[in-house]
Amino acid sequence: MSRGLDDDDLDVDLTDPVLASEAELAFEGALRPRSLAEFVGQTRVRGQLQLLLTAATLQQRTPDHILLAGPPGLGKTTLAMIVAHEGGRPLRMSSGPAIQHAGDLAAILSSLVPGEVLFIDEIHRMARSAEEMLYLAMEDFRIDIMVGKGAGATSVPLDLAPFTLVGATTRSGLLPNPLRDRFGFTAHLEFYDEAELEQVLSRAARMLGLAVDGEALAEIAGRCRGTPRIANRLLRRVRDYALVHGRDADVEAVRAALDLYDVDALGLDRLDRAVMQTILTRFGGGPVGLNTLAVSVGEESETIEAVVEPFLVRIGLITRTPRGRVATPAAWRHFGLAERAPEGAATLPIDDL
Ligand SMILES: Nc1ncnc2c1ncn2[C@@H]1O[C@H](COP(=O)(O)OP(=O)(O)O)[C@@H](O)[C@H]1O
Ligand SMILES: [Mg+2]
């Protein structure tokens, strides 16, 4: 199976100053649940997928095409692997950025074996011409291949083996409607709650042979941005810390390790904090437009929108308004700042109005 799909530029490692190494990726692979039963949380999505897969098995056909949408690290790649594994189907992995021409896609599609699961990660980044080819392939298991150039060019129809497309995207809003409509099922993955993250962590600790008490697990769970990938990475840092200092991986070790890596009490990392500081101190709490924000912190606006913002919204530090992103009172409190009156607001105390 090909590696490195998790390592594209959107899946930035938010907790680790060093980029994900081979060892990190191998570690991640080893911890991936292999069945729906092992997959923690996302109860709704799991139930929906289970039904879809079981129905397909009963009818002896390939399952409908599936779109998995959500921020990085919530389990999209893992679920794609599970879809293949549960049905005993072979899996082919590719990604949007690797499909820059219709020909790239034609080569993949024409070599699929019957029943194969085709996973296309970051599907919103696929070339337009390939997207159009995919419409027909998804609907009729057929593509038209252009042979020759210029006036003599002809299109030759080619039948494909029936397959299941599993697409993953961090930006479902960027998918053209005709593509979105051709998926039989779209799963929106949500951030995990702390109880679910504790399950992810205790499973990982068990697999690593690491003794971590409940209090320590809870502390990590509360500081991993609702994201299993980050939970597992932090657990590794805690293990390192305990090892180097020759001590137990208890709650003190967790706090010391996470402080060392700049993960604060809410789980905000450096980029989250840079974004919040910008909104609060440079723009007086907002509203700030996405692009302005991206330029101010020196990041791609895509990263801010797909990675940073969903979490900050989810924990109630910012809200999205038509005019831009606005800090909430909780944000001012978290950063220990006095809230500034929004522009044009009354400066008189309410009682005097
Ligand atoms: N529901 C889950 N239960 C247990 N571990 C999970 C779950 N979701 C994700 N993980 C862990 O998080 C890591 C990242 O998941 P991945 O599927 O690569 O996320 P995505 O593709 O959405 O970025 C995996 O290695 C896996 O160990
Ligand atoms: Mg992935």
Side-chain angles (χ1 to χ4, degrees):
M1 202 172 295
S2 68
R3 264 240 217 93
L5 285 175
D6 280 332
D7 202 15
D8 69 52
D9 51 4
L10 249 190
D11 272 8
V12 283
D13 186 343
L14 292 165
T15 57
D16 202 322
V18 254
L19 282 177
S21 61
E22 274 290 304
E24 296 266 358
L25 288 174
F27 166 78
E28 196 163 85
L31 292 181
R32 272 184 212 290
R34 311 220 174 261
S35 65
L36 276 180
E38 263 183 274
F39 193 85
V40 175
Q42 310 289 346
T43 327
R44 235 183 120 65
V45 164
R46 241 179 333 128
Q48 291 164 331
L49 274 178
Q50 185 74 70
L51 185 70
L52 188 138
L53 296 179
T54 310
T57 307
L58 289 175
Q59 296 168 352
Q60 299 184 322
R61 57 170 175 80
T62 53
D64 281 356
H65 305 303
I66 298 164
L67 181 64
L68 304 169
L74 300 192
K76 298 182 295 298
T77 301
T78 306
L79 280 176
M81 292 176 163
I82 289 174
V83 165
H85 190 253
E86 294 254 320
R89 298 167 185 281
L91 174 67
R92 175 78 64 90
M93 299 182 86
S94 186
S95 72
I99 302 174
Q100 283 315 308
H101 306 280
D104 299 334
L105 183 65
I108 296 171
L109 291 172
S110 60
S111 65
L112 293 175
V113 300
E116 192 154 0
V117 173
L118 171 61
F119 176 54
I120 304 184
D121 206 357
E122 297 301 335
I123 193 169
H124 61 274
R125 291 168 69 184
M126 198 170 52
R128 257 294 129 81
S129 56
E131 245 164 35
E132 276 154 26
M133 173 179 280
L134 196 54
Y135 298 161
L136 194 60
M138 290 171 79
E139 215 157 67
D140 295 338
F141 299 126
R142 189 165 63 82
I143 53 177
D144 290 322
I145 294 189
M146 293 304 289
V147 180
K149 277 200 164 77
T154 46
S155 96
V156 179
L158 178 72
D159 285 331
L160 305 172
F163 66 97
T164 297
L165 175 68
V166 180
T169 181
T170 47
R171 315 262 326 262
S172 65
L174 282 189
L175 282 192
N177 283 331
L179 181 55
R180 210 173 333 171
D181 293 345
R182 282 171 170 80
F183 286 97
F185 169 58
T186 298
H188 291 278
L189 300 191
E190 306 286 341
F191 288 106
Y192 292 67
D193 66 29
E194 294 189 13
E196 292 164 344
L197 291 162
E198 284 178 40
Q199 279 184 58
V200 170
L201 284 163
S202 69
R203 176 175 176 276
R206 225 173 25 248
M207 294 178 76
L208 291 173
L210 182 67
V212 201
D213 62 37
E215 199 188 351
L217 288 183
E219 184 74 22
I220 304 176
R223 290 168 67 164
C224 60
R225 299 179 97 259
T227 306
R229 171 178 293 134
I230 298 180
N232 287 342
R233 293 243 168 102
L234 295 182
L235 183 67
R236 227 162 98 102
R237 297 289 80 84
V238 169
R239 182 189 66 172
D240 293 349
Y241 188 91
L243 183 75
V244 168
H245 292 271
R247 53 174 298 165
D248 290 341
D250 55 14
V251 71
E252 294 306 320
V254 170
R255 288 194 187 125
L258 301 197
D259 286 347
L260 191 61
Y261 284 99
D262 261 342
V263 176
D264 79 7
L266 283 179
L268 304 190
D269 61 27
R270 261 184 305 169
L271 183 55
D272 295 322
R273 280 199 298 276
V275 166
M276 287 313 305
Q277 296 280 8
T278 303
I279 299 176
L280 293 169
T281 55
R282 279 192 61 187
F283 294 95
V288 197
L290 185 65
N291 289 329
T292 311
L293 204 50
V295 169
S296 305
V297 300
E299 259 300 341
E300 300 283 327
S301 57
E302 192 168 315
T303 305
I304 305 293
E305 192 177 17
V307 181
V308 179
E309 185 176 83
F311 180 69
L312 295 178
V313 169
R314 140 99 183 201
I315 60 170
L317 292 189
I318 60 174
T319 53
R320 298 170 66 152
T321 73
R323 290 195 302 145
R325 282 64 184 165
V326 180
T328 63
W332 292 99
R333 277 198 303 278
H334 181 68
F335 285 88
L337 298 166
E339 184 168 356
R340 259 182 248 168
E343 247 171 83
T347 48
L348 287 176
I350 302 285
D351 288 349
D352 292 346
L353 288 177

